[in-house]
Amino acid sequence: MIGGCWRGTGRVVQVKIGVVTFPGSLDDRDAQRAARLAGAEVTPLWHADADLHDVDAVVLPGGFSYGDYLRCGAIARFAQVMPTLIDAANGGMPVLGICNGFQVLCESHLLPGALTRNQHLHFVHRDQPLRVANNTTAWTTAYSVDQEITIPVKNGEGCFVADQKTLDALEQEGRVVAYYAQGNPNGSLRDIAGITNERGNVLGLMPHPEHAVEALTGPGTDGLGFFTSVLKELVR
Amino acid sequence: MIDTVKNAEATATDGLPYAELGLQDDEYAKIVEILGRRPTQSELAMYSIMWSEHCSYKSSKVHLSQFGKIPKGDRMLVGMGENAGVVDVGEGLAVTFKVESHNHPSYVEPYQGAATGIGGIVRDILTMGARPVLVMDPLRFGDADHPDTKRVLPGIVAGVGGYGNCLGLPNVGGEVVFDPSYQGNPLVNALCLGVMPVERIQLSAAKGVGNVVVLLGAKTGRDGIGGVSVLASATFEEDGPANRPAVQVGDPFTEKLLIEACLEMFDAKLVEGIQDLGGAGLTCALTETSAAGKSGMVAYLDRVPLREASMDPTEVLASESQERMLAIVTPDSLPEVLAIAEKWGVLATAIGEVTTGDRLKILWHGEAVVDVPPGSLADDGPVYHRPMVRPADLDALNNAPLPDYPEATKDLLLKMISSPNLCSKRWVVEQYDRIVMGNSVLAWPEDAGVVRLSEQTGLGVALATDGNGRYTRLDPFAGAQLALAEAYRNVAATGAVPIAVTDCLNFGSPEDPEVMWQFAEATRGLAEACAFLETPVTGGNVSFYNSTAGTPINPTPVVGVLGLLDDVARRTPMGFQDQGETLLLLGDTHDELGGSEWAWSQHRHLGGVPPRVDLAREKVLAEVLVSGSRDGMLSSAHDLSDGGLAQALVESALAKGIGARIVLPETQTAFVQLFSESAGRALVSVPRSEELRFTEMCNVRDLPVTRIGVTDGTALEIQDVLTVDLDELRTAHEATLPALFGPLAGT
């Protein structure tokens, strides 16, 4: 099995994943569920609490933090939890930002580029095929390169943009983790759906893997691999 | 100068411009009699609001009383009269749900009107102590290609999505219907459902002398003044869209924080009574809480946090600023209430207290501007027995011959499934988050939304809304029953047991005797059918004055049915699941095309009589669909309604791209079998291994069952009639709305 209690080295390891709730976070409970289903112990984290409570990895969930009334993620980036989180991420802790969480990571400069208003100006929600391009990050080892997976996308401001140099670098360094396949839902440049940092521990993803962890409520279970990957990474 | 009670006493016989606020002569006389003097300006505003059609139900009350006589069953914990009804669903959980209208604001300002419609119904559900877990929105527009539909539809859809998405509530169903009778008066109905532990149910009564009245949420501004008394309780004139200041502006982020703060207060048992501020704002919340508690109350209105310092007390009382709640808490709990509010960044202000006696006194910088018995506002409003007349044109409509029936052809099928009412609503629903919260088991375009309530046991609810204005125009009694029957059937098709009803009754002006007759017939029909189907009405809303330039809308009772599933893993989807399964048609098909989608979309014909209602048949059909789901016999089930069998076949085939070979029986012409809208029918697919067991179950219950074909391939083939590839069907089905309102995202 993946996760839960591991006895590989003769000791019991329980991986703790923290999920941050900002005012206006919406998919926080869903990220918690996904981490639990993957076998992790879940620790809710609060935006106004700088303490990460000894978690091994952190998910910044989807939603509309602070209503997205300014720029998405621009206010959440200044939450009290963020300096601690940024230090931890720079120290190698696995961090996954989903949708609004991706936007927060970009605003925090843990990831390059920005997410802007969808090209067609509408919110869009659909089951979205993705092509995995990097399976060496902390969050993607469960997949194979060029594997096509389907997980839901739902955003109003998910159009990834960066300058040409950054885009070239991202692609050349293999830091594009997933591309939109069979159609680009929001106009993201070069069909980019998710990227990682140089170290491969921080990942930003516009689609929602936490909504593809149960066949009953999602398009399938293709999203679970993001969470099982990090568990495997942490007990290695 | 502020008009105080003292001032009113000194000038007790001065006249006031009550007619401008929508009050009648006799209503004003009654106010003077109650108070023994002229009302102050603030009091007059309060009476005009609380006695408006929207708040007092003065024209509908005598008819709605029939719903109160429907046997309650043993599940209803809170019935009509509170903000929403509450139903026991077992496992210690209760569910509350309600549908409401926000029609006129959405015409004036489509985005904000629709957005605040969602916001308002969500607060109604929160007020009962529940966590809101889903929304649905039945929408109706004028002709799809009318220029004004291009103005209102994109804004309304974006508003529903913008607010609901930002609140994190999945939008799991609803309707999008086009008809010229809604031109200039679109219908924006919004439904919300919430869930709570039974012991967390909250009521609105303000009790306990000395308890503190706390205003939670947004600051109060000048938005929405006159919303219910002016916008919602009168007919639009030509200047409709100029009423913008009367529409509220929504702030879903504040509402999200308000939800989390209130739920935390409920869980900590800090709240004695609670009421949302919606239409009628503080006026309604102060009077209803004190009237329900049979208490006195004093409110210090100058403590209310304002967006604009220059607001006078009348404006503060009448403001419909959104995202506000009024809580009654003990003095001991107050510090903890304020702390929770602060944690969530929600403004909380003690603005008054519960007192002895039975007067509601409202002070403005120390001087009384209101001193009234709250019951006179909340409960003793006028009640009208409006005159009723059967519409003069109804006989002619009912006797109008239908157009000649054509041959059933591929061309006709493609025309039908691409017509605005039958086409794919993907353009709309892709703008809604249908899965946030992670419990959506079925959502658009399924027959009903199914949402899981318990991850441990799989307990869940199914919900569907339906309403057919054309049927109701032709026969209001039958039309209302058909709306109920369809929603009931939709819920049962998923495998859920229908248990309760909410309704939003959208009609023209009650001052028009023909409209009033339609309303009376529809409520009578709905009440009788609810009693027969054992689905009590738990609450709802009446929306009158839906007419443009003197022409009322088609009467449109929108009925929402709640169903219960022991285990959502057993739900039946509408789409074919596998190749080679048997297709069965349940129920009888008659020659019933009066008011049908065929007559309307192909001939702009509205006439004849709607399909016959057979509630006993609906009951048996529902039992079979539920048993079939429970025993694992059904792969798919789809109710037959608008567009008939043809529409159901296309939708079931397109869901997963599984085709079908159909052989129609020879009892009727192919056209009638494919496009008749006879009620009490469903299309199901069963694995071959279950066919015998399932048909025997139908036979035992005297439910007609006809084997009409098998699932097969990637085309829809109807023997001797037509063959069409699913790709071609999908293109025709999905192209209509993008052609009218712009391409689908990313195409």
Side-chain angles (χ1 to χ4, degrees), chain B residues 55-68:
Chain B
C55 290
S56 72
Y57 291 86
K58 57 190 170 189
S59 304
S60 55
K61 234 178 201 167
V62 294
H63 301 285
L64 298 178
S65 64
Q66 298 171 87
F67 295 153

Side-chain angles (χ1 to χ4, degrees), chain B residues 151-172:
Chain B
R151 175 183 73 90
V152 298
L153 183 142
I156 285 171
V157 169
V160 167
Y163 205 98
N165 297 346
C166 191
L167 273 189
L169 295 178
N171 188 321
V172 297

Side-chain angles (χ1 to χ4, degrees), chain B residues 438-449:
Chain B
N439 289 311
S440 302
V441 175
L442 295 178
W444 299 82
E446 295 281 346
D447 282 347

Side-chain angles (χ1 to χ4, degrees), chain A residues 42-60:
Chain A
V42 170
T43 304
L45 300 175
W46 182 242
H47 70 102
D49 180 358
D51 192 342
L52 293 183
H53 298 276
D54 298 323
V55 297
D56 305 302
V58 171
V59 179
L60 301 182

